[in-house]
Amino acid sequence: MHPSELHDYFHQLIRSRSRASRDLIGLEFENAAIVPARNAENSYELPCGEPFPWVPLPMGAKSGVQRVLEEVIRKSPTEKPWIRLEEEQEDGGRMLLGIQEPQGWNITVEPGGQLELSDAPRETLQQVHDSLRAHLVRVQEALDLLEGRMLCMGVNPFFSPEQLPLLAKHRYRIMYDHMPKVGTLGRWMMKASSGVQVNLDYHSVEDLERKARVLNRAAPFLAALFANSPLTLGKVNGYQSYRTHIWSDTDSTRSGLPEAFLKPNFRASDYVDWALNASSYLLKQDGHLIWTAGHSFRELMNGAMPGFVPEMSHWEAHLGMMFPDIRVKNIIEVRVFDSLPADWVIAIPALLKGLVYHEAGLVGAEELLFPIKSESFVDLRQAAAKQAMKGEVGSVDLGDVGRRLMEIALMALGSEEESWLLPYFEQFTKEKRTPADGVLERFALSRGPADWVEQEWNATGFLEGRLPRNPIPVVSGPTPGVQAPN
């Protein structure tokens, strides 16, 4: 293969997807879970030495993740059978990695036992909301059998990667061993982090490039707006979004916010060139996984590994192993958000719909973000992790820019749809607050991690997967405090 063939493949992928684009919204929602220590085989002590009555949801079939998946199937009868996503093990058995419902959504298991909803693409925010609600009902009913609760936070607030289970998937075991070689926090990313991802459509190569320019520049501000991981190992960690910090030291060759993506004239070819210079963890050849880490895809094409000849299927798999904040495939994936309590999740796709699916939103975001110097974004990303909406880098105030992005999106959504976003704006963004601020305030008033669990349970329902309510009714007309973009 020649690099030009890979560019052609990527552009063909874009063009084929563009023809089917309908401005759909795809939500992915990750969550870890905990169960009472009395119901678990193992017990854990927090690093602070305090007794703690909860343990991570284990992987086991009788009392863990596998049991939850089986219960979701059992309690969700459908006319067509569920698809069981399995992997064969060395002992000849098969391990359940996830389940796929005939309507198109699925629940998969992430490396540390996090359960992830990958929803089918939806046409409206109402449909996204209803599907999320149904998912939470299914999972919580299954967890109830174990007295388990979901942790709707960006990073597990209690346990270290060493204390969390590892899903024995072939790829995960290889990646877990490799992570310390390329960063200090990769194992935290795999086992302890949970996020919200939104997948967006585009209509042409030019539309993709325009949306990618806006979203890459918006990435630090989006992370700051929804920061929700200020606790780790049972104590305050000094960050508003520790999950964002984790990604800054996971694997710089394949993640983060590459400088090339911030160019005012960013092109799809820039994404391909970046991916060519990144390495893959492993690729499959003749039915066997080949360890390719340490060699860029370009080097593999030039014969860096004798006997391994990259093919187009390897390039496609390689693109799926890239983890930038904004990932480009047959859709645009926005991957910067901490997991949130259920009530607030819908604000994320609502914000993105206002910014990229409306011309007024795109124009307003371009006018706001493009004057910011490209060289500032490394520091902006760090400030988003550390201080979120209270961060400043030079003359750029993350809270001011984040609030302005919300205002632009609210105006673009209009009176019919602003109610999906306005409650979050009023509760947090308007005063430069984040969910992390509330977590820290309640933690400061608690008598320690165990007591804080009860406080948080009562305040947000984050340990009971509280179901999202219908949006707060909003009177039609201009939203107080929100100005139309210039």
Side-chain angles (χ1 to χ4, degrees):
M1 286 192 302
H2 188 272
S4 62
E5 296 179 68
L6 305 186
H7 279 268
D8 289 344
Y9 166 85
F10 195 69
H11 280 80
Q12 289 170 8
L13 176 70
I14 293 171
R15 283 190 285 270
S16 64
R17 178 62 184 177
S18 300
R19 289 193 290 271
S21 176
R22 292 189 291 152
D23 284 352
L24 301 179
I25 301 167
L27 180 71
E28 299 186 19
F29 182 46
E30 286 179 336
N31 266 307
I34 54 178
V35 295
R38 66 178 182 276
N39 293 347
E41 297 178 0
N42 301 309
S43 60
Y44 299 89
E45 184 177 272
L46 297 182
C48 61
E50 178 179 327
F52 193 60
W54 300 90
V55 296
L57 179 69
M59 291 291 181
K62 292 184 178 180
S63 61
V65 172
Q66 308 294 312
R67 172 82 181 276
V68 171
L69 294 178
E70 295 286 1
E71 287 297 325
V72 170
I73 293 176
R74 190 177 70 84
K75 292 189 175 184
S76 305
T78 59
E79 293 182 3
K80 297 181 180 179
W82 288 68
I83 298 172
R84 300 171 66 89
L85 308 175
E86 299 177 323
E87 182 177 87
E88 187 172 352
Q89 300 296 287
E90 285 85 350
D91 61 5
R94 300 191 68 81
M95 180 173 59
L96 187 61
L97 304 177
I99 53 178
Q100 187 174 75
E101 198 266 349
Q103 298 300 318
W105 56 262
N106 59 56
I107 301 173
T108 54
V109 185
E110 294 301 296
Q114 308 96 315
L115 296 168
E116 178 181 80
L117 165 69
S118 295
D119 196 18
R122 306 292 176 181
E123 294 182 348
T124 68
L125 292 169
Q126 181 70 57
Q127 291 172 351
V128 175
H129 171 275
D130 293 347
S131 183
L132 172 61
R133 183 182 178 88
H135 164 72
L136 290 166
V137 169
R138 287 187 291 262
V139 173
Q140 190 56 61
E141 285 182 349
L143 281 171
D144 282 344
L145 297 175
L146 307 174
E147 299 182 75
R149 298 292 180 261
M150 284 180 266
L151 291 171
C152 298
M153 299 189 73
V155 176
N156 192 303
F158 309 119
F159 304 110
S160 68
E162 292 73 26
Q163 293 175 302
L164 294 166
L166 178 66
L167 181 66
K169 187 176 179 179
H170 298 320
R171 181 161 64 95
Y172 290 165
R173 285 181 288 175
I174 294 173
M175 287 175 60
Y176 191 74
D177 289 341
H178 178 69
M179 281 299 175
K181 301 175 184 177
V182 291
T184 65
L185 297 173
R187 289 180 170 179
W188 279 87
M189 179 277 292
M190 291 183 68
K191 282 188 173 187
S193 68
S194 299
V196 177
Q197 177 175 304
V198 178
N199 305 321
L200 302 168
D201 274 338
Y202 50 81
H203 301 280
S204 65
V205 174
E206 294 74 23
D207 186 49
L208 161 67
E209 292 169 342
R210 186 185 183 194
K211 288 173 178 173
R213 291 183 199 116
V214 166
L215 290 168
N216 276 296
R217 284 183 163 259
F221 307 102
L222 298 176
L225 280 162
F226 296 95
N228 190 40
S229 45
L231 305 177
T232 45
L233 306 179
K235 58 185 179 181
V236 175
N237 58 35
Y239 290 83
Q240 285 253 319
S241 176
Y242 194 72
R243 178 179 173 276
T244 299
H245 173 61
I246 285 172
W247 274 108
S248 72
D249 197 5
T250 289
D251 185 345
S252 61
T253 67
R254 73 184 72 245
S255 60
L257 195 57
E259 184 179 351
F261 296 4
L262 298 167
K263 298 190 304 183
N265 60 343
F266 167 80
R267 296 287 183 267
S269 57
D270 294 319
Y271 193 95
V272 176
D273 288 335
W274 172 76
L276 274 169
N277 292 325
S279 68
S280 301
Y281 290 121
L282 63 165
L283 296 169
K284 185 174 287 189
Q285 181 173 265
D286 299 328
H288 300 286
L289 292 174
I290 306 298
W291 183 244
T292 56
H295 298 291
S296 71
F297 200 89
R298 193 186 301 275
E299 290 169 342
L300 293 175
M301 292 176 62
N302 292 331
M305 292 183 64
F308 181 78
V309 180
E311 300 176 355
M312 199 59 73
S313 61
H314 294 131
W315 175 238
E316 185 176 357
H318 174 71
L319 291 174
M321 283 185 273
M322 301 294 98
F323 305 117
D325 289 353
I326 310 299
R327 182 160 64 180
V328 175
K329 296 194 293 184
N330 60 337
I331 50 178
I332 303 175
E333 301 175 354
V334 188
R335 310 177 56 258
V336 298
F337 306 104
D338 286 359
S339 189
L340 297 173
D343 274 353
W344 304 119
V345 172
I346 192 63
I348 295 176
L351 171 63
L352 293 175
K353 181 176 184 180
L355 290 179
V356 303
Y357 281 169
H358 294 271
E359 179 65 18
L362 273 171
V363 170
E366 287 168 339
E367 293 176 349
L368 177 67
L369 299 171
F370 284 10
I372 300 174
K373 295 180 180 179
S374 298
E375 56 267 26
S376 300
F377 280 84
V378 171
D379 292 335
L380 285 168
R381 201 163 178 268
Q382 293 174 347
K386 192 79 173 177
Q387 300 160 301
M389 294 290 280
K390 297 176 178 64
E392 295 182 11
V393 175
S395 61
V396 181
D397 184 305
L398 273 86
D400 288 344
V401 176
R403 182 169 56 195
R404 187 66 181 136
L405 283 172
M406 280 269 192
E407 292 170 347
I408 290 168
L410 283 164
M411 293 302 301
L413 289 170
S415 59
E416 292 185 3
E417 292 192 300
E418 67 177 6
S419 58
W420 296 108
L421 182 57
L422 186 57
Y424 190 93
F425 176 84
E426 294 288 346
Q427 179 76 19
F428 299 109
T429 311
K430 190 174 181 180
E431 302 300 328
K432 295 188 180 182
R433 287 175 55 82
T434 68
D437 288 313
V439 169
L440 290 170
E441 290 163 1
R442 292 184 291 274
F443 190 78
L445 295 173
S446 72
R447 296 187 297 274
D451 180 56
W452 172 75
V453 166
E454 301 302 319
Q455 301 286 345
E456 202 68 12
W457 193 331
N458 293 329
T460 69
F462 90 119
L463 284 177
E464 58 178 339
R466 178 176 293 168
L467 303 179
R469 299 180 293 266
N470 288 325
I472 298 171
V474 178
V475 178
S476 299
T479 303
V482 178
Q483 302 297 319
N486 295 326

